[in-house]
């Protein structure tokens, strides 16, 4: 996908190095791990010993909270899908229409709530932090449901619906206003026959930094854009130090797990997938738990009998 070319260029050389360097180890593990295990008791033993857990999450986690993605069959806003509106070109041509789309998505999120998977992850982080252990979430979701559930250590690689960035001065700011500006009140209806609101640029969200007044845009990574290098550096650090990796609600052939999880697995670190179905990449990993992650994840991350809680 073009969106991720830059990130892939940055990470792939490392991926290749990682795989090459550990090929003998991989062959050894290959014999032991020809098929991923779905044995929860075995996973729980690994989980009980892990000190630094990385959890990579994708659209499947949000889907279980009813968050629309505007992609795939039936995934339209008016007559467009996300890949036609979430681009720098679309914003340059028609900032009013793109803001209507994002305003709608922000407003929809007011009625959505974290599901048992989000909550299990946040509770696990809170509990393990008291034991000197860490849980870091790397997500491609922009809906902030992990944050809403209480997750503190969160790397949002695609940004957030609730952050803006100034197209003039570059300032990034959290923004939870509803509506985000008066001109967008009542706008953004998704029905195909809705007319564009055609809001003048000066009435769209504006930068409030001293005297800037620049046009704001959603602080999300659009198609054709690179990932934030600062976020990617933090991601690479997590992938390097984790001793257990969970892939939740995204298959390991789909970005970002496709890039991140194999890198971790190549170091011999256990990777556990929690998604609907096995994929060709699943066989590279130690564990696979099929099914809705709202069902499979809570028992996996619940308190282990060996955990001592003060
Ligand atoms: Zn500005």
């Amino acid at each position: 996908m073009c969106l991720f070319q830059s990130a892939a260029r940055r990470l792939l050389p490392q991926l290749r190095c990682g795989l090459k360097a550990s090929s003998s180890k991989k062959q050894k593990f290959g014999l032991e791990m020809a098929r991923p295990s779905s044995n929860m008791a075995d996973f729980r033993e690994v989980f009980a010993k892990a000190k630094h857990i990385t959890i990579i999450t994708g659209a499947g986690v949000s889907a279980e909270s009813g968050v629309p993605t505007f992609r795939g069959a039936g995934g339209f806003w008016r007559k467009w899908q996300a890949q036609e509106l979430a681009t720098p070109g679309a914003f340059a041509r028609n900032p009013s229409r793109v803001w209507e789309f994002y305003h709608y998505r922000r407003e929809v999120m007011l009625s959505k709530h974290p599901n048992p998977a989000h909550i299990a992850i946040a509770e696990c982080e809170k509990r393990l932090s008291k034991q000197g252990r860490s849980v870091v979430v790397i997500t491609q979701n922009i809906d902030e449901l992990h944050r809403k559930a209480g997750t503190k250590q969160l790397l949002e690689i695609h940004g957030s619906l609730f952050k803006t960035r100034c197209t003039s001065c570059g300032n990034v700011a959290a923004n939870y206003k509803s509506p985000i500006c008066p001109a967008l009140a009542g706008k953004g209806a998704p029905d195909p026959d809705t007319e564009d609101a055609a809001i003048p640029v000066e009435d769209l969200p504006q930068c409030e930094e001293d005297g800037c007044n620049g046009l704001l845009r959603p602080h999300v990574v659009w198609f054709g854009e690179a990932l934030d290098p600062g976020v990617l550096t933090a991601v690479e650090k997590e992938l390097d130090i984790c001793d257990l990796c969970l892939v939740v609600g995204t298959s390991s052939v789909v970005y970002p797990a496709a890039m991140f999880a194999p890198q971790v697995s190549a170091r011999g670190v256990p990777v556990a997938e929690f998604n609907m179905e096995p994929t060709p990449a699943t066989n590279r990993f130690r564990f696979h738990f099929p099914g809705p992650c709202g069902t499979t994840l809570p028992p996996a991350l619940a308190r282990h009998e060996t955990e001592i809680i003060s």
Side-chain angles (χ1 to χ4, degrees):
M1 285 169 78
C2 56
L3 172 58
F4 311 114
Q5 273 172 359
S6 159
R9 267 201 300 275
R10 197 178 143 93
L11 281 170
L12 282 178
Q14 294 184 16
L15 277 178
R16 284 197 211 100
C17 291
L19 288 170
K20 216 172 188 176
S22 59
S23 59
S24 59
K25 199 195 272 178
K26 208 177 153 230
Q27 278 164 6
K28 196 181 92 193
F29 277 118
L31 293 173
E32 294 164 13
M33 307 195 305
R35 289 259 177 266
S37 162
S38 294
N39 186 317
M40 185 57 81
D42 288 351
F43 170 80
R44 296 280 291 163
E45 287 203 10
V46 175
F47 168 71
K49 292 183 192 121
K51 297 262 192 304
H52 193 123
I53 302 171
T54 296
I55 305 182
I56 301 166
T57 72
V61 185
S62 294
E64 288 182 37
S65 285
V67 177
T69 60
F70 303 103
R71 298 181 73 173
F76 287 87
W77 179 84
R78 295 184 187 165
K79 55 189 176 189
W80 301 284
Q81 292 199 316
Q83 56 268 40
E84 297 169 90
L85 296 166
T87 74
F91 189 67
R93 282 189 299 275
N94 197 333
S96 171
R97 180 188 293 158
V98 173
W99 259 122
E100 273 200 273
F101 175 56
Y102 279 94
H103 165 65
Y104 174 72
R105 296 179 71 175
R106 287 163 58 98
E107 298 295 310
V108 162
M109 286 315 299
L110 296 175
S111 65
K112 305 297 178 193
H113 304 286
N115 63 57
H118 295 108
I119 292 165
I121 291 169
E123 285 180 354
C124 182
E125 178 190 2
K126 193 176 174 193
R127 192 179 78 243
L128 266 53
S129 71
K130 292 176 188 159
Q131 305 164 28
R133 302 160 71 196
S134 72
V135 174
V136 176
V137 176
I138 299 170
T139 189
Q140 65 177 336
N141 302 332
I142 59 173
D143 51 44
E144 294 206 2
L145 286 178
H146 282 298
R147 201 183 301 281
K148 225 172 181 176
T151 289
K152 300 278 186 281
Q153 297 209 72
L154 181 62
L155 295 169
E156 295 167 305
I157 58 171
H158 289 175
S160 165
L161 281 172
F162 298 99
K163 281 183 184 160
T164 57
R165 185 164 82 244
C166 177
T167 57
S168 180
C169 73
N171 185 57
V172 174
N175 184 314
Y176 295 93
K177 284 184 209 162
S178 169
I180 188 167
C181 65
L184 280 165
K187 307 296 182 192
D191 318 275
D193 51 358
T194 309
E195 295 281 324
D196 272 354
I199 299 165
V201 172
E202 59 272 21
D203 291 336
L204 290 173
Q206 281 192 352
C207 183
E208 290 173 4
E209 288 295 289
D210 289 346
C212 179
N213 297 327
L215 173 64
L216 295 180
R217 57 164 278 179
H219 185 53
V220 297
V221 178
W222 281 336
F223 292 89
E225 294 185 318
L227 274 68
D228 183 311
V231 176
L232 265 186
T233 301
V235 165
E236 287 176 43
K237 191 179 148 221
E238 293 308 322
L239 299 178
D240 280 347
I241 62 173
C242 69
D243 56 6
L244 174 60
C245 176
L246 274 61
V247 176
V248 184
T250 178
S251 77
S252 296
V253 289
V254 172
Y255 180 90
M259 283 159 62
F260 299 156
Q263 186 177 338
V264 172
S265 188
R267 288 197 291 118
V269 171
V271 176
E273 276 189 316
F274 295 78
N275 58 22
M276 294 305 285
E277 290 167 352
T279 68
T282 301
N283 282 346
R284 286 193 250 174
F285 302 132
R286 187 87 54 98
F287 298 100
H288 180 255
F289 298 99
C293 47
T295 305
T296 55
L297 204 56
L301 297 181
R303 180 180 170 272
H304 191 268
E305 58 189 16
T306 56
E307 285 180 37
I308 298 160
I309 298 177
S310 55

